[in-house]
């Protein structure tokens, strides 16, 4: 019943698993996410439009 035993850890061939691929790979790269900014701008435009309609008809 050897297939019931604990699974063996996978070994990456070559022994270069913890070596960075590039010289600057140790520095975490900042990836900008523009979706929150787009959501805020859209929200602001929506409120300006609502207030403009209210002001125009009041």
């Amino acid at each position: 019943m050897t297939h019931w035993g604990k699974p063996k850890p996978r070994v990456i061939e070559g022994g270069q698993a913890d070596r960075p691929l590039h010289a600057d790979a140790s520095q975490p790269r900042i990836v900008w996410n523009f979706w929150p900014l787009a959501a805020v701008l859209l929200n602001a435009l929506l409120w300006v439009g609502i207030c403009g309609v209210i002001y125009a008809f009041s």
Side-chain angles (χ1 to χ4, degrees), residues 33-47:
N33 189 4
F34 291 108
W35 286 110
L37 180 62
V40 168
L41 289 176
L42 189 65
N43 195 6
L45 285 174
L46 182 68
W47 278 107

Side-chain angles (χ1 to χ4, degrees), residues 7-36:
K8 294 179 182 177
R10 297 180 63 184
V11 178
I12 299 174
E13 298 292 331
Q16 299 177 355
D18 38 16
R19 187 178 301 166
L21 296 176
H22 303 289
D24 58 348
S26 61
Q27 297 281 339
R29 186 175 172 198
I30 297 175
V31 178
W32 296 100
N33 189 4
F34 291 108
W35 286 110

